[in-house]
Amino acid sequence: MEAKPLNLKDLFDAKKDTVVNELYDRVITIPIEARTALKNELVKVIGKDRTKGVFTRYGWHCGVNDGEKAKQFEWDSVWDAVYAGPKFHQLHGYLDKVEILEIGTDKDQLEFIEVLWINTFEADQYLLANDKSAEPVCHTLCGYASGYLSTVLGQPVLVKEIECRGMGHAECKCICMPLDKWGEEIAGEQRYYQGTSIIQELDEVTDKLKTERDHLAKANDIHQRLIEELLSKQGIQKIVDILYETTGLTAFIENDHHQVLVKAGHLEEPLDLRKFNAKQTTFSPYSDGFSLLRAPIFYEQDVKGYCSFVYPAGEEPNELDYMIIEKAGLTSAILLMNENIRISTEQNIKRSFLNDMLENRLTEEEMYKVSYYLNFNSASSYWMLTIGRDCKNAENEIAFNEELIRYINLFLNERNVNAIVSQKLDKIIVLIEYPSFENLNITQDKFISHLFTYCLKRFSGYKFCVGVSTVIQNFMELNVLYNETLAALRATNEETNVSYFKKLGLESVLFQVQDDVLIDRFVEQHIGKLLAIDKEFDLIRTLYAYICNGNSINATSKKTSMSISGLRYRLAKISEILNQDLADTEALFSIYLAINILKSKGTITI
């Protein structure tokens, strides 16, 4: 290298004007305020991140230029050029002072330099207009130091600010290290040194806008189809059909109890969806086999269900899928709202109709008209359930019964059973069209068991009991069915929570008396004295066996494995306690009926 008259070490001993004239042919000055205004304009136009890249690269080019200038002067070693770097920094007014805290070398190769920058202009300007920053702000200085060191050392060096006065530190501190020494720690900073063509960026933005435009167009087309189906009064099944048809993704809609209402495509069942309760659109793995994209369906600010797409393992939704599922969720909300209003109105009319029938408030002509409009065939056969429960909280009883009625209706609708569910006093009444029940091809026992299981999933901890009527052909005799269910319900006990009227026997007549006091008085009148003495019911069981065996001493003795003399003694004692001749057939019938009432109520086991 051809040496200059002035040594690099001595260059900065001269006056600033002399140094500037020696180094540069022409220099322009830019006020810091104007440079800051330019930075603010760039932030507005191209964003904070791109602006950081602009000023980092600007600093880099300034540093490279000064590095080339430094190489034109004499130096004793390359380290002279390194130590001259802070002088160049100060010469441009970037800061007040540079302190090299530590420098590490290995065989004349730079390992690292730790530097303290005192009063940098970038930190000053930032703090004048802003609160503390979350990240370093001296981008020009970092770029300058990187460009200068890379030039004089002949290898890529990158400078990273680790403390900054703009962040609240006392002064700014940076680490200067060869690029190959940084590793992954510096990966995020390297991109700021790589200029990107604005045309290339515009092309990328344009492509992205085109993609988003196409997504919006397709999403709006699907939404338009959904709205058209909504206006044509199609049900929610049509929503999932459209979603499956347009996207090829399995789709389903569930209610607020996580029961799948409708589906389209291949869906593994049953699904346990109770753990998915987010109030925003989410993409979550369900199992190793598939994942779900779920959008909540809101009704009166509450989540009333979800609209979901199913993705095989390894597949994920794109932006279009998110747009479609959210629009489907909105349409579903409108449909479910309309459906809830329709169902609620229909059920209220049915409940009113059933109550009017039970209270005999309709003429036969009115009954036929209303039943026709409600799709109830007056010529069909019907049976009835009356459901009772233990009441835990009287204050919430009305709300509880309404929710229970809604849940029972869901059970019946899922099975296409034509029925009316109503409430009378504290009990739930279910009138069922028998042919629609017969289509299920199950017994009454199995049907009621399924109903109990279904309800207990929602109302765990409650105990339900039910009275079951016979089947009638005359629609005008609904009162008969209701009274039968009440009679059967009275026969339920701790051991038996389902009672059939047809199985009650003679006591079914007495159970139709509405007043429990009258029934208890009947029992007390005929066997009360015996109950007061016979605490273990041994005498009552003997008397019951005697009546069931036709008042025959020999037949009763064999049935009970009791000696004839012992049996005669017991019967005599019973006759004495009751003050009743056991040969009186009419009296024995009443006693037999009273014992059967206790048996039906579970008071005595025979």
Side-chain angles (χ1 to χ4, degrees), residues 8 67 89 99 139-140 168 186 195 305 345 373 392 418 437 474 492 523 559:
L8 184 60
H89 243 159
E99 293 183 7
H139 312 315
T140 303
I186 206 66
T345 302
Y373 288 124
K392 293 187 174 183
N418 195 20
F437 157 73
N474 190 342
T492 59
V523 174
K559 186 69 175 179

mmCIF file of all heavy atoms in Angstrom, residues 8 67 89 99 139-140 168 186 195 305 345 373 392 418 437 474 492 523 559:
data_model
loop_
_atom_site.group_PDB
_atom_site.id
_atom_site.type_symbol
_atom_site.label_atom_id
_atom_site.label_comp_id
_atom_site.label_asym_id
_atom_site.label_seq_id
_atom_site.Cartn_x
_atom_site.Cartn_y
_atom_site.Cartn_z
ATOM 1 N N LEU A 8 -2.001 7.199 10.472
ATOM 2 C CA LEU A 8 -3.386 7.097 10.969
ATOM 3 C C LEU A 8 -3.488 7.436 12.448
ATOM 4 O O LEU A 8 -4.435 8.069 12.897
ATOM 5 C CB LEU A 8 -3.933 5.686 10.702
ATOM 6 C CG LEU A 8 -5.395 5.447 11.081
ATOM 7 C CD1 LEU A 8 -6.313 6.392 10.298
ATOM 8 C CD2 LEU A 8 -5.789 3.999 10.818
ATOM 9 N N GLY A 67 -13.960 3.188 6.657
ATOM 10 C CA GLY A 67 -12.976 2.104 6.687
ATOM 11 C C GLY A 67 -12.047 2.178 5.501
ATOM 12 O O GLY A 67 -10.824 1.967 5.615
ATOM 13 N N HIS A 89 -16.199 7.807 14.777
ATOM 14 C CA HIS A 89 -17.546 7.911 15.344
ATOM 15 C C HIS A 89 -17.788 9.303 15.908
ATOM 16 O O HIS A 89 -18.815 9.945 15.644
ATOM 17 C CB HIS A 89 -17.710 6.865 16.452
ATOM 18 C CG HIS A 89 -18.770 5.849 16.154
ATOM 19 N ND1 HIS A 89 -18.822 4.613 16.752
ATOM 20 C CD2 HIS A 89 -19.832 5.875 15.319
ATOM 21 C CE1 HIS A 89 -19.844 3.943 16.307
ATOM 22 N NE2 HIS A 89 -20.479 4.684 15.424
ATOM 23 N N GLU A 99 -15.791 4.303 24.784
ATOM 24 C CA GLU A 99 -14.850 3.624 25.674
ATOM 25 C C GLU A 99 -14.786 2.147 25.299
ATOM 26 O O GLU A 99 -15.819 1.458 25.307
ATOM 27 C CB GLU A 99 -15.276 3.747 27.134
ATOM 28 C CG GLU A 99 -15.212 5.165 27.684
ATOM 29 C CD GLU A 99 -15.590 5.217 29.162
ATOM 30 O OE1 GLU A 99 -15.768 4.123 29.764
ATOM 31 O OE2 GLU A 99 -15.729 6.330 29.699
ATOM 32 N N HIS A 139 -29.594 2.293 15.828
ATOM 33 C CA HIS A 139 -29.429 1.461 14.643
ATOM 34 C C HIS A 139 -28.299 1.968 13.740
ATOM 35 O O HIS A 139 -27.522 1.172 13.198
ATOM 36 C CB HIS A 139 -30.738 1.411 13.863
ATOM 37 C CG HIS A 139 -31.928 1.108 14.711
ATOM 38 N ND1 HIS A 139 -31.922 0.117 15.657
ATOM 39 C CD2 HIS A 139 -33.171 1.687 14.764
ATOM 40 C CE1 HIS A 139 -33.110 0.073 16.251
ATOM 41 N NE2 HIS A 139 -33.875 1.022 15.729
ATOM 42 N N THR A 140 -28.195 3.294 13.572
ATOM 43 C CA THR A 140 -27.155 3.848 12.702
ATOM 44 C C THR A 140 -25.767 3.548 13.254
ATOM 45 O O THR A 140 -24.845 3.181 12.505
ATOM 46 C CB THR A 140 -27.345 5.364 12.553
ATOM 47 O OG1 THR A 140 -28.659 5.629 12.047
ATOM 48 C CG2 THR A 140 -26.312 5.953 11.600
ATOM 49 N N GLY A 168 -33.558 2.759 29.037
ATOM 50 C CA GLY A 168 -33.489 3.073 30.461
ATOM 51 C C GLY A 168 -32.158 2.758 31.097
ATOM 52 O O GLY A 168 -31.980 2.992 32.299
ATOM 53 N N ILE A 186 -27.379 -14.063 16.566
ATOM 54 C CA ILE A 186 -27.419 -12.850 15.747
ATOM 55 C C ILE A 186 -28.303 -13.002 14.515
ATOM 56 O O ILE A 186 -28.451 -12.071 13.721
ATOM 57 C CB ILE A 186 -25.983 -12.467 15.319
ATOM 58 C CG1 ILE A 186 -25.898 -10.952 15.052
ATOM 59 C CG2 ILE A 186 -25.540 -13.280 14.114
ATOM 60 C CD1 ILE A 186 -26.105 -10.111 16.277
ATOM 61 N N GLY A 195 -30.463 -5.475 1.963
ATOM 62 C CA GLY A 195 -31.454 -4.625 1.305
ATOM 63 C C GLY A 195 -32.405 -5.443 0.443
ATOM 64 O O GLY A 195 -31.996 -6.401 -0.207
ATOM 65 N N GLY A 305 -73.289 -23.129 20.935
ATOM 66 C CA GLY A 305 -72.852 -24.251 20.114
ATOM 67 C C GLY A 305 -71.578 -23.901 19.374
ATOM 68 O O GLY A 305 -70.979 -22.834 19.576
ATOM 69 N N THR A 345 -91.943 -21.649 20.545
ATOM 70 C CA THR A 345 -93.341 -21.298 20.285
ATOM 71 C C THR A 345 -94.190 -22.549 20.117
ATOM 72 O O THR A 345 -95.286 -22.666 20.693
ATOM 73 C CB THR A 345 -93.434 -20.427 19.020
ATOM 74 O OG1 THR A 345 -92.633 -19.253 19.194
ATOM 75 C CG2 THR A 345 -94.871 -20.023 18.755
ATOM 76 N N TYR A 373 -103.521 -29.262 13.638
ATOM 77 C CA TYR A 373 -102.478 -28.259 13.349
ATOM 78 C C TYR A 373 -101.149 -28.608 14.027
ATOM 79 O O TYR A 373 -100.080 -28.242 13.538
ATOM 80 C CB TYR A 373 -102.942 -26.875 13.798
ATOM 81 C CG TYR A 373 -104.024 -26.290 12.921
ATOM 82 C CD1 TYR A 373 -105.239 -25.887 13.464
ATOM 83 C CD2 TYR A 373 -103.828 -26.146 11.549
ATOM 84 C CE1 TYR A 373 -106.236 -25.353 12.668
ATOM 85 C CE2 TYR A 373 -104.832 -25.616 10.744
ATOM 86 C CZ TYR A 373 -106.034 -25.223 11.310
ATOM 87 O OH TYR A 373 -107.014 -24.706 10.504
ATOM 88 N N LYS A 392 -84.338 -30.213 45.295
ATOM 89 C CA LYS A 392 -83.209 -29.778 46.116
ATOM 90 C C LYS A 392 -83.264 -28.286 46.421
ATOM 91 O O LYS A 392 -82.806 -27.852 47.461
ATOM 92 C CB LYS A 392 -81.890 -30.105 45.390
ATOM 93 C CG LYS A 392 -81.622 -31.585 45.267
ATOM 94 C CD LYS A 392 -80.243 -31.813 44.690
ATOM 95 C CE LYS A 392 -79.895 -33.298 44.690
ATOM 96 N NZ LYS A 392 -78.533 -33.538 44.199
ATOM 97 N N ASN A 418 -92.957 -38.462 18.279
ATOM 98 C CA ASN A 418 -93.954 -37.391 18.323
ATOM 99 C C ASN A 418 -94.544 -37.323 19.722
ATOM 100 O O ASN A 418 -95.180 -38.286 20.192
ATOM 101 C CB ASN A 418 -95.046 -37.660 17.287
ATOM 102 C CG ASN A 418 -95.901 -36.437 17.027
ATOM 103 O OD1 ASN A 418 -95.490 -35.316 17.321
ATOM 104 N ND2 ASN A 418 -97.090 -36.641 16.485
ATOM 105 N N PHE A 437 -93.358 -44.190 18.878
ATOM 106 C CA PHE A 437 -92.507 -44.908 19.832
ATOM 107 C C PHE A 437 -92.210 -46.321 19.327
ATOM 108 O O PHE A 437 -91.079 -46.809 19.420
ATOM 109 C CB PHE A 437 -93.181 -44.960 21.201
ATOM 110 C CG PHE A 437 -92.705 -46.086 22.078
ATOM 111 C CD1 PHE A 437 -91.441 -46.050 22.660
ATOM 112 C CD2 PHE A 437 -93.504 -47.206 22.291
ATOM 113 C CE1 PHE A 437 -90.994 -47.090 23.455
ATOM 114 C CE2 PHE A 437 -93.061 -48.249 23.086
ATOM 115 C CZ PHE A 437 -91.803 -48.191 23.665
ATOM 116 N N ASN A 474 -108.560 -43.530 22.509
ATOM 117 C CA ASN A 474 -109.452 -42.367 22.506
ATOM 118 C C ASN A 474 -108.683 -41.133 22.972
ATOM 119 O O ASN A 474 -108.297 -41.020 24.138
ATOM 120 C CB ASN A 474 -110.655 -42.617 23.412
ATOM 121 C CG ASN A 474 -111.723 -41.548 23.244
ATOM 122 O OD1 ASN A 474 -111.463 -40.461 22.722
ATOM 123 N ND2 ASN A 474 -112.941 -41.859 23.692
ATOM 124 N N THR A 492 -94.154 -45.757 43.327
ATOM 125 C CA THR A 492 -92.692 -45.793 43.282
ATOM 126 C C THR A 492 -92.126 -45.663 44.685
ATOM 127 O O THR A 492 -92.755 -45.091 45.577
ATOM 128 C CB THR A 492 -92.142 -44.654 42.393
ATOM 129 O OG1 THR A 492 -92.581 -43.391 42.913
ATOM 130 C CG2 THR A 492 -92.596 -44.805 40.966
ATOM 131 N N VAL A 523 -105.407 -47.286 55.032
ATOM 132 C CA VAL A 523 -104.481 -48.287 55.564
ATOM 133 C C VAL A 523 -104.585 -48.341 57.082
ATOM 134 O O VAL A 523 -104.640 -49.426 57.692
ATOM 135 C CB VAL A 523 -103.036 -47.972 55.128
ATOM 136 C CG1 VAL A 523 -102.064 -48.928 55.802
ATOM 137 C CG2 VAL A 523 -102.916 -48.059 53.613
ATOM 138 N N LYS A 559 -97.280 -73.364 52.429
ATOM 139 C CA LYS A 559 -96.619 -72.224 51.756
ATOM 140 C C LYS A 559 -95.617 -71.545 52.674
ATOM 141 O O LYS A 559 -94.537 -71.127 52.246
ATOM 142 C CB LYS A 559 -97.695 -71.226 51.303
ATOM 143 C CG LYS A 559 -97.151 -70.079 50.466
ATOM 144 C CD LYS A 559 -96.685 -70.557 49.102
ATOM 145 C CE LYS A 559 -96.255 -69.429 48.218
ATOM 146 N NZ LYS A 559 -95.767 -69.897 46.890
#
